[in-house]
Amino acid sequence: LLTIALLFSIANPQTDKILFVGDSMTSYKGGWHHQFAKKLGREYINVSIPGKRTEWMKSKLIQTIKLDPYFKTCVIYGGINDGFSYVKPESALKNVQDMVDICNQHGIEPVVIVGYDAKKVMVNTVYSKEKTEFHSNRYAKIQKLFVTQLKNCKIIPIEVNLTRADTDDGIHFKASGHRKFAEWVYQNYTK
């Protein structure tokens, strides 16, 4: 029996690891993702890179799973850079749904983070008021599509407690933002 159990564990080396795929919002050392994984008592790999859009995230997910397909959970947090570019919101939705589908095909639990309330957080940014409003509206449209259209994944809804004061620049979290966001994700993930 021990031999059968050993062979099973070698053939199915599924671990408790979390894969984080995202952009700058998830790339900070010790950021919300680290705090979230720590609350769960789980190890993680983070392949998030600042400035990346969901199309890149999808290719990075595919590449990472080819190298190591034994993640229990994949946390996907993107779309803000799609909102700040001229990517169609529907394209961002398709990219994230493709990532969710890839995770499901590999037996990995997909978790999609919708983000924070752009209207409360994205104020007084480095961009002009008009540009900030234009792009935050595009990001909000992407978020709405995530909430209403994504299938076969756990969705962490829009975080409603963060404000501009929890960011350095009206976009990226400072320490208080990371703490609040980690707690929000944890509370909604464990429901």
Side-chain angles (χ1 to χ4, degrees), residues 1-158:
L1 288 173
L2 182 60
T3 305
I4 292 171
L6 183 58
L7 286 173
F8 183 77
S9 68
I10 292 169
N12 298 294
Q14 188 77 29
T15 67
D16 209 27
K17 279 189 307 193
I18 302 169
L19 173 62
F20 289 95
V21 182
D23 51 33
S24 60
M25 302 305 292
T26 310
S27 67
Y28 288 81
K29 183 176 182 176
W32 73 266
H33 62 283
H34 172 80
Q35 296 170 40
F36 168 68
K38 189 175 177 182
K39 285 175 180 287
L40 294 174
R42 294 171 62 186
E43 293 182 20
Y44 67 90
I45 302 289
N46 185 2
V47 297
S48 303
I49 295 182
K52 297 301 184 183
R53 295 190 294 257
T54 55
E55 183 176 5
W56 175 89
M57 291 169 56
K58 180 171 75 171
S59 65
K60 188 64 174 179
L61 172 69
I62 292 166
Q63 177 187 31
T64 303
I65 289 177
K66 279 183 184 175
L67 295 172
D68 181 2
Y70 302 110
F71 293 96
K72 183 174 182 180
T73 304
C74 178
V75 177
I76 302 161
Y77 181 20
I80 198 164
N81 290 311
D82 296 67
F84 271 80
S85 68
Y86 291 93
V87 173
K88 291 180 181 175
E90 294 78 14
S91 295
L93 172 66
K94 183 184 181 322
N95 289 331
V96 173
Q97 185 64 63
D98 287 349
M99 288 189 274
V100 165
D101 295 343
I102 290 163
C103 288
N104 283 318
Q105 289 164 7
H106 286 84
I108 300 168
E109 172 194 34
V111 178
V112 176
I113 308 288
V114 177
Y116 52 64
D117 182 344
K119 298 295 177 198
K120 288 173 63 178
V121 176
M122 287 185 179
V123 293
N124 300 323
T125 69
V126 296
Y127 303 103
S128 69
K129 183 177 180 180
E130 295 78 22
K131 188 170 184 174
T132 299
E133 188 173 314
F134 176 77
H135 291 297
S136 69
N137 285 338
R138 285 178 47 78
Y139 180 45
K141 186 173 182 179
I142 290 168
Q143 291 177 306
K144 185 174 182 180
L145 288 173
F146 287 176
V147 171
T148 61
Q149 302 290 318
L150 287 173
K151 307 269 187 271
N152 304 315
C153 62
K154 184 168 190 85
I155 297 174
I156 306 299
I158 291 177

